[in-house]
Amino acid sequence: MRPWHLGNTTVRSPFRLRDGLVALSTSSLQGNLRGQEHEIALRRLLGEHGIVELGDDDTYSVGRKWRSALNKLGFLYPEVPPASGIPQSEIGPIDMITPNGWRLIRADTVPAMQECFLRALAAHYIPSALERKFDFAVFSPLRHTLAIMLELEKQTGESRLNFVEMAIVVQLTSSDESLADIVAQVLALRARRLASPNKRKFDRQEREAAAVLHGYAAGTFNDYADTNLRYLKATGLVQSKGRGLSLVPEKHVFVEKLIQDTGIPDSDRSYFITLCNGAKLPTDNKDSALAVLDDLLQQLKKRGIPFDATGKPTDTPADIAIIRHQIEGLLSERNEEEYATRQAVEWEEIAAYMELIITRKGKKTLSNGEDIEVPQAEAPAYFEWVLWRAFLAINSLANKPYEARRFKIDQDFLPVCTAPGNGPDLIFEFAEFVIVVEVTLTDNSRQEAAEGEPVRRHVADLVSLYGAQSGKPVYGLFIANRIDSNTAETFRIGVWFTRTDDKMRLDIIPVTLVQFKAFFEALFTSGRVEVGLIRELLDLCGGLRPAHEAPAWKHEIQQTFNHRIAAITEMRN
């Protein structure tokens, strides 16, 4: 059996495809992506936009693989195989952005982006005119996997599908097999694994056995499963459950409606057209949309979230979608508030993520055996995210968790991208003061040029805003793995002039992530998680400005952190 996979193993993070499309949409390369010269140019474009790392590699495979991923998902018009007998003109110009591609570019919320990926994966069937290498009947891998999860829920009470179960069973099956037989295989594997004293060894042996049976390298099963899980999560229909997946409760009825569509494309031509336009979804049909809406209203009622749908039109699927998106937004906010309250007990995991960003290592195993990961290409987003979690854990915010961050998150509360420009990364409002947090992975002399002006401008804007609204003082906290002295000197001077040449004094403290992590851990190990201690620390560091230039100021900041950590630890003892 040949294993199948959704998406592309080169582009493991689906949301990066949107970044690539956005870059391509403003480039002369659109429609000109074939051949070594153009593939090198695409790779260079992706590198210039910070989407991929260029390094010293002069190969053009990255450009080719990105083009292939965008073709396969219907975000760019694919080349129609001559054997199909379909004129290219009936589908669309090769490598130009498709209607679903433009929909993804214009999507400005995570749910809107997820709908584009859902339409793409719902339109994806194998075998197809683009992938003829499979020897089973045509089927939808997305609907197939969701149906297996629903059957698991029916038999076990939960829809959870573990990583190894995807790797060794699900991605090696098709709709040629009965759901009951597939679920029996999953549960048999689960039972054997549960009885095994060494889970890692068990997983390795299962992969090796599958490699021998199916004629693939053992690592292929993990690579494909990892890609499948990531692209499934990009639809918004599933969420992480340990090292696997489960259905998102709010999407349960939608999933049931989706898998009822068991039809297959009636021709290669209709397949291409649907792929490039995006598949129809249950909520495009009024009756199904109303059923999904009714379920969402019941979920609001169960969770005690007020919502009045009286008088809101439901004449068309578009009308219903407006109400549905409002409700999904309310449920998402409640989920995030509940997530925020859990962060205090997860402070050790938060500190472990900081360690990964400090050491630039990709993965770490926690004391409870759980693996955590910071994907290299997403490290800037994870840097912002882990600081957001850290301040949620301190649990004293006056603003909401979704008001404190400017980056987008998915249904697992993981970052989808970094915060957009023209504003700070994070804004934490407390009862008596505000902290504006800016982070960067830049650690050389370019740091000042990249961060000096924007950080001061962002802090100045917030000083003006809160000064007018509440009179709360605003502190800037700039965090990097290494603080360049030129950056520190800019913040030490701490001056900003308004458009009317009024002079503003800014309190921006540059600290390393190592320093912040040590202080963060001290707060929790001492049992003194008090936001006032953070303000006290910032005041002490700021008070050292007049007497020192940047190198000495950085040294004194380190000493201040050491003293305060020692004092907090002593209080515990």
Side-chain angles (χ1 to χ4, degrees):
M1 174 73 180
R2 178 187 292 271
W4 50 260
H5 65 81
L6 302 162
N8 186 285
T9 55
T10 297
V11 191
R12 296 288 182 93
S13 302
F15 291 99
R16 290 172 61 213
L17 289 173
R18 178 180 181 273
D19 297 333
L21 274 179
V22 170
L24 188 60
S25 69
T26 59
S27 161
S28 61
L29 287 176
Q30 188 187 165
N32 296 289
L33 300 177
R34 310 247 162 185
Q36 181 173 341
E37 179 184 345
H38 293 125
E39 289 166 352
I40 290 174
L42 175 57
R43 180 178 175 276
R44 188 179 302 117
L45 176 73
L46 296 171
E48 288 169 353
H49 283 77
I51 300 166
V52 302
E53 297 220 358
L54 290 177
D56 299 322
D57 181 14
D58 293 327
T59 68
Y60 54 94
S61 63
V62 168
R64 174 169 47 79
K65 290 175 180 177
W66 269 74
R67 185 201 71 219
S68 173
L70 292 167
N71 285 153
K72 180 180 177 181
L73 289 168
F75 296 133
L76 296 180
Y77 286 108
E79 181 178 19
V80 178
S84 69
I86 304 168
Q88 184 74 44
S89 60
E90 290 187 10
I91 305 304
I94 296 174
D95 299 335
M96 294 293 287
I97 297 173
T98 64
N100 201 32
W102 283 113
R103 187 184 292 121
L104 180 58
I105 288 170
R106 293 170 181 141
D108 59 0
T109 65
V110 172
M113 295 176 203
Q114 289 174 329
E115 181 176 306
C116 296
F117 284 107
L118 175 55
R119 289 184 186 275
L121 294 181
H124 176 63
Y125 287 80
I126 51 175
S128 72
L130 291 177
E131 297 180 274
R132 296 195 183 278
K133 57 193 176 185
F134 298 96
D135 57 1
F136 40 70
V138 176
F139 81 109
S140 162
L142 171 66
R143 294 177 181 82
H144 179 65
T145 305
L146 295 173
I148 291 169
M149 295 176 74
L150 283 174
E151 183 65 21
L152 276 168
E153 183 178 61
K154 179 180 175 182
Q155 293 193 28
T156 69
E158 62 175 343
S159 60
R160 174 173 54 91
L161 181 66
N162 293 331
F163 184 94
V164 70
E165 295 160 2
M166 169 62 82
I168 305 301
V169 178
V170 175
Q171 65 192 21
L172 288 159
T173 64
S174 74
S175 58
D176 284 350
E177 301 171 64
S178 73
L179 284 178
D181 287 345
I182 296 170
V183 169
Q185 293 178 54
V186 169
L187 295 180
L189 175 65
R190 187 177 296 179
R192 295 200 311 275
R193 189 174 191 271
L194 186 63
S196 172
N198 187 325
K199 303 296 189 288
R200 290 180 185 274
K201 182 179 179 182
F202 175 86
D203 292 349
R204 185 179 68 252
Q205 290 174 337
E206 288 291 323
R207 287 195 304 271
E208 291 170 350
V212 172
L213 179 62
H214 299 285
Y216 284 85
T220 299
F221 299 98
N222 270 13
D223 289 342
Y224 281 20
D226 178 65
T227 302
N228 283 329
L229 266 57
R230 287 172 183 264
Y231 278 81
L232 286 165
K233 285 194 286 187
T235 66
L237 301 183
V238 299
Q239 60 191 12
S240 292
K241 183 78 170 180
R243 203 170 172 232
L245 297 175
S246 65
L247 297 175
V248 172
E250 295 87 347
K251 301 289 187 177
H252 204 283
V253 169
F254 181 98
V255 170
E256 291 175 344
K257 297 287 184 184
L258 181 65
I259 68 167
Q260 288 173 9
D261 176 14
T262 56
I264 61 173
D266 57 15
S267 68
D268 288 345
R269 184 180 182 279
S270 66
Y271 176 71
F272 280 119
I273 291 173
T274 301
L275 183 69
C276 297
N277 286 278
K280 295 288 186 183
L281 299 178
T283 44
D284 294 334
N285 171 274
K286 182 179 177 181
D287 290 341
S288 293
L290 284 171
V292 171
L293 176 61
D294 183 62
D295 177 66
L296 288 171
L297 288 167
Q298 292 302 315
Q299 291 186 53
L300 285 179
K301 185 176 180 181
K302 287 178 184 177
R303 297 180 68 174
I305 302 173
F307 182 81
D308 186 5
T310 306
K312 295 182 183 293
T314 56
D315 299 325
T316 67
D319 292 333
I320 299 166
I322 292 171
I323 307 172
R324 179 166 52 85
H325 292 153
Q326 291 173 343
I327 295 174
E328 288 173 346
L330 291 172
L331 289 167
S332 176
E333 288 179 355
R334 176 62 62 86
N335 290 342
E336 188 169 339
E337 289 167 10
E338 293 172 355
Y339 173 79
T341 63
R342 298 197 297 270
Q343 296 313 294
V345 297
E346 297 182 4
W347 69 268
E348 290 176 288
E349 179 186 294
I350 295 169
Y353 272 106
M354 291 184 198
E355 182 182 332
L356 287 179
I357 293 170
I358 291 166
T359 61
R360 302 292 183 100
K361 292 180 179 178
K363 297 181 180 180
K364 180 180 175 64
T365 301
L366 304 179
S367 57
N368 62 4
E370 181 184 345
D371 292 326
I372 62 171
E373 177 183 9
V374 174
Q376 183 178 355
E378 300 167 60
Y382 271 75
F383 198 170
E384 297 174 0
W385 172 77
V386 76
L387 267 296
W388 174 63
R389 288 187 66 188
F391 278 91
L392 294 182
I394 293 168
N395 199 25
S396 300
L397 290 182
N399 55 347
K400 297 292 187 181
Y402 38 85
E403 296 169 340
R405 60 173 172 82
R406 294 186 65 249
F407 57 85
K408 294 179 173 66
I409 59 172
D410 65 14
Q411 65 274 22
D412 288 322
F413 312 103
L414 291 173
V416 167
C417 57
T418 56
N422 299 316
D425 298 333
L426 300 157
I427 305 168
F428 300 111
E429 182 179 356
F430 302 99
E432 298 180 353
F433 66 102
V434 178
I435 298 179
V436 178
V437 176
E438 299 270 16
V439 306
T440 183
L441 284 173
T442 304
D443 59 6
N444 54 29
S445 59
R446 290 180 296 152
Q447 189 183 77
E448 197 280 331
E451 305 292 341
E453 185 276 335
V455 171
R456 286 183 297 132
R457 172 164 43 87
H458 299 160
V459 173
D461 288 344
L462 270 294
V463 168
S464 298
L465 176 66
Y466 281 96
Q469 288 183 349
S470 62
K472 290 181 181 180
V474 175
Y475 296 84
L477 182 59
F478 178 78
I479 304 179
N481 275 337
R482 176 185 171 274
I483 305 295
D484 182 76
S485 290
N486 295 291
T487 311
E489 184 66 8
T490 295
F491 296 150
R492 188 188 72 82
I493 296 169
V495 170
W496 183 263
F497 287 93
T498 67
R499 286 177 177 265
T500 55
D501 285 341
D502 294 320
K503 185 177 180 180
M504 299 177 69
R505 182 77 177 83
L506 305 177
D507 289 310
I508 304 173
I509 311 301
V511 305
T512 66
L513 185 55
V514 168
Q515 291 168 336
F516 182 87
K517 175 177 178 287
F519 188 77
F520 175 78
E521 289 174 318
L523 292 178
F524 282 89
T525 55
S526 68
R528 294 199 65 201
V529 186
E530 303 167 20
V531 72
L533 293 175
I534 297 178
R535 183 178 186 182
E536 179 184 281
L537 179 67
L538 296 177
D539 282 333
L540 288 170
C541 293
L544 298 167
R545 270 196 192 90
H548 305 281
E549 289 189 331
W553 188 37
K554 290 196 300 180
H555 175 75
E556 291 300 319
I557 288 173
Q558 178 66 69
Q559 293 300 106
T560 302
F561 266 79
N562 292 344
H563 293 153
R564 294 310 302 153
I565 289 169
I568 293 170
T569 304
E570 189 175 324
M571 292 173 189
R572 177 191 64 183
N573 297 333

